[in-house]
Amino acid sequence: MIHPILLCGGSGTRLWPLSRKSFPKQFSRLMGEESLFQASARRLSGEGFAAPVILTAEPFRFIVTEQLAQIEQAPQAILIEPEGRNTAPAICAAALWLAGQDPEALMLVAPSDHVIPDAEGFRAAIHAAAPRAAAGDLVTFGIAPDRPETGYGYLELAAGADARAEAPQPLARFVEKPERARAEEMLAAGNFLWNAGIFLMSARAAAEAFRTHAPDIVAAVSEALAGAERDLGFTRLAAEPWSRAPDISVDYAIMEKADNLAVKRYAGPWSDVGGWDAVWQQSGPDAQGNVCSEHATAIDCSDTLLRSETDQVEVVGIGLEGIVAIATSDAVLVAKKDEAQRVKAAVSALKAKGAKQAVQFPRDHRPWGWFESLVIGGRFQVKRIVVHPGAALSLQSHHHRSEHWIVVEGTAKVTVGEEVKLVTENESVYIPLGATHRMENPGKVPMVLIEVQTGSYLGEDDIIRYEDVYARS
């Protein structure tokens, strides 16, 4: 049985404005109707695969459970990282946790934001690598390159290895992202593969590799696991020892030092979707090289990506060549396609000027559903709030604002002070300043309401929680 270890705690910015710190790309529907995370979980499931072990960050824990439920999957465990410490501590935590269940279990470590269209072919490659991993090797997966890519690291096969063999081959070394000329040389040589950052190994072999090559990581992570707390189905790693783990990638921590490495070649289509240029490439450009979303139109354009994430904004390009234009409800990105990797610089510039669009997504996801601000004024705010069936907001009050709730879809069970009543479509209720209140959805369909806040301060931190089924402070 192979145990998928899905890493989904990162908050990359190279796909801004769709990917932001509050809602990163792995949870977005970049390619189709499912998020990258959902597609990864579905791809690594079925015969021969156990339920996944998820490593994620505190803000994303309920997004993880919600998205898994949408594809009818249940996790084996969800480990909450107190802070991001790169891939080595995360993988070490998974290895030690899994070794505690079954030391011989095979763990497949995979990022949750890759695109691999041929799921069946990739599963076949995993199963082909399993005997080598069961024998104690650390097997990494290398992608057969089709161009001199400078955005990926490479894997160099050992002398005498067969680059086209179906079985895993000996690995000589890891190679950093190259300059263009070096990438062309490696492509021509034929014995280099792209480093996908995907690994198959037994829990015992992984744990031993960490103990041998990164004992400081093992010490911190072991203590974080020992002090972990169970909370609503999550396993919260202890924060203080976790903070002592080095911030380092698994390649640097153990893979570049180990002598029991092997690489399994995968020749199918693959992308880490590391920028809008990759989204353009993976989306299948038309005869003119254009990719347009439903609410985008290209007129006399070529090699261009036009995308709108909302039906309220139509994106139109005229006479463009090699351009990326991405619109959300609160931000627009326009860039040359070959400059797409510089989006991180744009995010840094927005942070420096204090723009909330740098990190905050328009739709704020919560364990009970989500909300978005429709209008914000000096002393008022209008929100749309969607509550999942059976979900409930905390029992709370506010120091600085009163609220009006108008139900527009479904039925709300509303508590105001000592009064509890049902509020149906086209009905409203008033929440006075300082009153304890709660909103619940007792129905079988999502409940939607419009909230009008008025007061001197409308921030999300003006909440006093008295009861909360999601154990938030």
Side-chain angles (χ1 to χ4, degrees), residues 316-347:
V316 179
I318 301 176
L320 303 178
E321 181 178 356
I323 295 294
V324 168
I326 312 296
T328 63
S329 62
D330 67 339
V332 177
L333 168 71
V334 181
K336 292 182 179 179
K337 185 155 61 67
D338 58 7
E339 298 278 357
Q341 294 296 321
R342 296 178 61 190
V343 171
K344 294 177 70 174
V347 175

Side-chain angles (χ1 to χ4, degrees), residues 202-265:
S202 71
R204 182 192 300 277
E208 289 178 353
F210 276 104
R211 292 189 183 101
T212 301
H213 304 294
D216 51 346
I217 295 178
V218 174
V221 171
S222 296
E223 194 174 335
L225 277 168
E229 296 180 354
R230 292 283 293 169
D231 175 16
L232 298 177
F234 306 106
T235 299
R236 293 180 179 275
L237 302 174
E240 194 281 325
W242 183 263
S243 69
R244 291 190 260 113
D247 187 337
I248 188 172
S249 73
V250 71
D251 287 359
Y252 287 136
I254 65 170
M255 295 301 172
E256 294 185 357
K257 303 172 183 176
D259 58 6
N260 57 335
L261 293 172
V263 57
K264 174 68 178 80
R265 177 179 180 269

Side-chain angles (χ1 to χ4, degrees), residues 205-386:
E208 289 178 353
F210 276 104
R211 292 189 183 101
T212 301
H213 304 294
D216 51 346
I217 295 178
V218 174
V221 171
S222 296
E223 194 174 335
L225 277 168
E229 296 180 354
R230 292 283 293 169
D231 175 16
L232 298 177
F234 306 106
T235 299
R236 293 180 179 275
L237 302 174
E240 194 281 325
W242 183 263
S243 69
R244 291 190 260 113
D247 187 337
I248 188 172
S249 73
V250 71
D251 287 359
Y252 287 136
I254 65 170
M255 295 301 172
E256 294 185 357
K257 303 172 183 176
D259 58 6
N260 57 335
L261 293 172
V263 57
K264 174 68 178 80
R265 177 179 180 269
Y266 177 67
W270 167 90
S271 174
D272 71 348
V273 203
W276 286 112
D277 50 341
V279 174
W280 169 84
Q281 187 176 58
Q282 291 294 316
S283 298
D286 64 18
Q288 288 72 46
N290 296 321
V291 173
C292 295
S293 69
E294 179 182 359
H295 298 286
T297 303
I299 300 173
D300 295 330
C301 296
S302 62
D303 296 327
T304 289
L305 171 63
L306 302 177
R307 182 166 175 149
S308 174
E309 299 300 320
T310 169
D311 58 8
Q312 301 299 306
V313 177
E314 288 286 335
V315 174
V316 179
I318 301 176
L320 303 178
E321 181 178 356
I323 295 294
V324 168
I326 312 296
T328 63
S329 62
D330 67 339
V332 177
L333 168 71
V334 181
K336 292 182 179 179
K337 185 155 61 67
D338 58 7
E339 298 278 357
Q341 294 296 321
R342 296 178 61 190
V343 171
K344 294 177 70 174
V347 175
S348 296
L350 290 174
K351 287 181 179 178
K353 66 188 292 186
K356 65 179 183 179
Q357 288 89 341
V359 296
Q360 189 62 43
F361 202 69
R363 184 171 290 183
D364 197 323
H365 291 262
R366 297 299 172 93
W368 42 259
W370 56 267
F371 70 84
E372 61 183 344
S373 294
L374 304 177
V375 181
I376 301 177
R379 291 180 58 87
F380 75 93
Q381 179 172 203
V382 180
K383 290 181 178 179
R384 173 167 56 175
I385 299 177
V386 177

Side-chain angles (χ1 to χ4, degrees), residues 57-98:
E58 171 81 15
F60 311 140
R61 65 196 192 283
F62 291 109
I63 299 176
V64 165
T65 55
E66 179 182 336
Q67 292 203 353
L68 286 177
Q70 288 171 354
I71 61 171
E72 299 181 335
Q73 285 199 20
Q76 183 177 170
I78 299 178
L79 306 183
I80 306 297
E81 301 174 67
E83 60 178 291
R85 305 301 291 168
N86 215 315
T87 55
I91 294 171
C92 182
L96 296 178
W97 183 89
L98 190 57

